[in-house]
Amino acid sequence: MKIREIESFNAFMTYGSVTRAAEAMNISQPMVSRLLSKFEQSVGFALFQRTGNQLTPTREAEQFQATIARSLISLNELKTQARAIANQQTGAIRITAQPSHADTYLLNAVAAFKRSHPNVLITINDLGLEGVLETVSSGNSDLGIGITLNLKHPMLEMTKLATCQAICVLPREHKLAGFETIDIDLLHDESFIDLALGSPLRTRIDYIFQVAGWSRKTSAEARTVRVVTKLVEQNVGIAVLDPFAQFMIDPQKAIALPLTPKIEWDVTLFHTKRPLTQIENQFIHHIQTELATQKGKLGFL
């Protein structure tokens, strides 16, 4: 049996006559009659009682109609789904990002993407870099965003999204707050609020101070940039953070200044070694657009 034959049978059963079925299908009455005849032959039982040119459905036809109707609904859903996929209007993207990304520009990128792809489900999870790599490599997340400091991973593709540099966040009343740029050698006697051990940026700062032979006093530690900035605002200490911290500070309570020499790293997109879907590529485009918008403010190179 062919789909056009099935549609002709459904039209006849819905509208009650060959004439009205032909009008609904926008084809001729003889064509409907031929399709109905072929369909009856293919199913193997009588669908109609014929009296002259009149067709009357049999009980078997009425029983079969319920199945036909459900099947056509499912087929139409398949067609709709196929069109939506082709037009990048359906699907789901699971993304895991380090908190400083998930809390800031990624939200703007998601909002912009949803305006043009309202039926695509976006799931956001925030984890430290190790968690980002684990969820993406295990297939529990489609895309990951984090920073890399010469990082390599055998199971993941890495795409550079931007290069940025660290900033120094200080309480507004701090003695160094009036400087235009903070030389890192001015910080060796300061109390720091640090990201937790294992953070790539924390590792880089620890290494720089170790090479310089300076001891460093850590007043507090926290997992996320947001918490660190709030502690700076409370005058607990200073912090060296990524530039996304500028989104999180209260300018009445804290200030962000560039560091010299520069501490640089890449913001990177992670995904498994597979072709990206059209929807994923569209989403990545929105992330890149948002990062480009923030380039001047955040100190990207």
Side-chain angles (χ1 to χ4, degrees):
M1 60 184 72
K2 298 180 180 179
I3 184 61
R4 201 60 171 159
E5 297 169 3
I6 295 171
E7 290 174 340
S8 68
F9 174 72
N10 183 66
F12 175 82
M13 297 297 289
T14 300
Y15 296 104
S17 73
V18 172
T19 300
R20 295 181 64 186
E23 292 173 353
M25 297 179 68
N26 196 29
I27 59 177
S28 68
Q29 294 181 41
M31 177 61 73
V32 172
S33 296
R34 286 194 294 270
L35 289 170
L36 291 175
S37 179
K38 290 180 179 179
F39 184 60
E40 188 173 35
Q41 293 173 14
S42 67
V43 299
F45 56 86
L47 294 174
F48 311 105
Q49 294 177 349
R50 290 171 171 82
T51 305
N53 293 328
Q54 297 297 314
L55 298 181
T56 304
T58 63
R59 286 288 303 275
E60 290 79 6
E62 292 174 351
Q63 292 174 351
F64 197 34
Q65 167 62 8
T67 301
I68 292 294
R70 288 194 299 269
S71 298
L72 287 175
I73 289 172
S74 297
L75 181 61
N76 287 331
E77 288 176 349
L78 288 175
K79 292 178 179 177
T80 300
Q81 182 79 352
R83 286 195 298 270
I85 292 173
N87 294 325
Q88 303 170 25
Q89 283 298 328
T90 190
I93 300 175
R94 301 165 299 168
I95 183 164
T96 303
Q98 290 182 269
S100 60
H101 305 268
D103 287 348
T104 54
Y105 70 89
L106 184 58
L107 302 179
N108 294 338
V110 169
F113 177 81
K114 288 292 292 183
R115 285 192 286 272
S116 56
H117 300 77
N119 297 319
V120 176
L121 174 65
I122 302 294
T123 301
I124 303 174
N125 190 22
D126 65 278
L127 293 172
L129 182 59
E130 289 186 5
V132 172
L133 298 177
E134 170 61 27
T135 57
V136 176
S137 61
S138 65
N140 291 317
S141 190
D142 302 308
L143 303 173
I145 296 179
I147 71 171
T148 57
L149 299 171
N150 301 317
L151 175 69
K152 296 184 183 297
H153 195 288
M155 297 178 63
L156 298 179
E157 294 284 352
M158 300 184 185
T159 302
K160 175 182 171 182
L161 296 174
T163 298
C164 57
Q165 64 189 57
I167 58 173
C168 184
V169 181
L170 309 100
R172 174 59 73 174
E173 302 303 321
H174 192 278
K175 62 185 179 181
L176 300 176
F179 285 55
E180 291 185 2
T181 301
I182 302 296
D183 292 328
I184 200 164
D185 60 359
L186 296 175
L187 303 180
H188 66 273
D189 290 327
E190 296 294 331
S191 295
F192 281 79
I193 306 165
D194 282 323
L195 293 167
L197 287 171
S199 160
L201 183 54
R202 166 72 180 272
T203 301
R204 173 68 68 87
I205 300 302
D206 286 345
Y207 176 75
I208 289 172
F209 274 73
Q210 182 181 5
V211 169
W214 300 329
S215 61
R216 194 157 68 92
K217 179 182 177 183
T218 299
S219 295
E221 295 178 340
R223 186 180 73 86
T224 68
V225 170
R226 185 175 296 279
V227 173
V228 171
T229 58
K230 296 311 168 187
L231 289 172
V232 172
E233 291 174 1
Q234 295 296 322
N235 203 26
V236 176
I238 68 167
V240 176
L241 298 170
D242 67 44
F244 305 112
Q246 294 176 74
F247 284 125
M248 305 177 193
I249 62 175
D250 180 344
Q252 301 300 316
K253 299 179 180 179
I255 186 171
L257 297 172
L259 277 169
T260 53
K262 296 176 181 179
I263 303 173
E264 299 176 346
W265 62 88
D266 290 339
V267 179
T268 302
L269 175 81
F270 308 103
H271 62 86
T272 55
K273 295 182 177 181
R274 59 169 176 80
L276 294 171
T277 66
Q278 293 185 55
I279 293 175
E280 288 169 340
N281 279 317
Q282 285 291 315
F283 183 66
I284 292 167
H285 173 73
H286 282 277
I287 294 174
Q288 293 169 326
T289 299
E290 181 60 27
L291 285 171
T293 300
Q294 299 299 333
K295 180 177 180 179
K297 178 179 179 181
L298 298 181
F300 293 129
L301 304 179

